[in-house]
Amino acid sequence: EKSPNDMQTRSDLALALSRVGSQTLASALYAEDVAPSASETERSLSAAAGGEAVNWGEAYAPTRARQRAESKTALARLDKVIVASGQKDAAWRAAQFDRIVVLYDLRRVHDVIRRYRDLKRQGLGVPAYALSNVAGAYLALRRPERAEALYRRLLAESPSDGNLWSGLAYAQMERGRTRQALATIDHAYKAAAPWFRLGGMSEPRVNPMRLSLESQAAQMRLGVN
């Protein structure tokens, strides 16, 4: 307010917004209000906004059609960042990893695997948040042995992640290891707390992850009679 034409202050505001999670707002503010802009900063903010779009769709979109629209918007934004970025710089890497998440959400599982293999050939390690989608893509393509290996690797880092335990159980089921799969899903739901309490809440709430895992345990048993 005191320095409305101070571009450094506007730039710092955009970066601050980005760091607290308002990626799309930060990217728009920087593109519209900072001149001359730094191309590297603009690409970085745009890439982060692409990741935010698909995450928003997964968590909050009221319909699958809206979620798919968010993912398509994110994919277009990420593709622009990849084309404009220097190969393997920070914005390029972040956009590549977020692109795996978007492709998986759009059910383009073959593209997920191709992108993962390309990045591996370039010596780039894929972070856990994107690697879980690679595991899911292998499972969808009936490659449960590859999926199981990735799920086990991810669980070594995040042993309390119910979604990873679920993926591992389905991979084991696909491999014909029925008893092992049932033991895995049982372990997953029993390890998840039935209730959780949020700050300021007087009453605890049912843990939806526990319900989901227990439901999957029942459905698996139904599937094998």
Side-chain angles (χ1 to χ4, degrees), residues 49-59 67 70-71 74 98 101-102 105:
E52 183 182 54
V54 70
N55 290 332
W56 185 94
E58 289 179 340
Q67 181 180 340
E70 292 288 341
S71 290
D98 285 337
V101 178
V102 178
D105 184 67

Side-chain angles (χ1 to χ4, degrees), residues 10 79 95 97 103 167 202:
R10 289 179 178 274
D79 283 345
F97 302 147
L103 290 171
S202 58

Side-chain angles (χ1 to χ4, degrees), residues 125-136:
V126 176
Y129 78 89
L131 197 58
S132 62
N133 293 138
V134 176

Side-chain angles (χ1 to χ4, degrees), residues 26-71:
S27 180
L29 185 148
Y30 192 86
E32 294 170 6
D33 292 350
V34 180
S37 62
S39 58
E40 183 178 350
T41 301
E42 189 165 9
R43 286 195 304 270
S44 178
L45 292 174
S46 184
E52 183 182 54
V54 70
N55 290 332
W56 185 94
E58 289 179 340
Y60 302 113
T63 64
R64 173 59 190 161
R66 177 67 185 279
Q67 181 180 340
R68 186 176 178 83
E70 292 288 341
S71 290

Side-chain angles (χ1 to χ4, degrees), residues 195-206:
W195 306 89
F196 68 91
R197 188 186 299 274
L198 296 175
M201 287 177 53
S202 58
E203 299 292 333
R205 289 192 177 181
V206 172

Side-chain angles (χ1 to χ4, degrees), residues 132 135 139 147-148 150-173 180-192 209 212-214 216-217 220:
S132 62
L139 190 55
E148 180 174 352
L150 288 177
Y151 281 126
R152 289 190 181 280
R153 174 178 158 188
L154 289 164
L155 280 166
E157 301 175 11
S158 303
S160 62
D161 190 325
N163 288 318
L164 297 178
W165 283 109
S166 172
L168 175 60
Y170 279 105
Q172 291 169 333
M173 189 68 79
Q180 192 177 18
L182 294 177
T184 296
I185 199 69
D186 286 350
H187 165 80
Y189 86 74
K190 290 175 182 177
M209 178 57 72
S212 175
L213 292 169
E214 197 161 4
Q216 290 174 54
M220 284 185 175

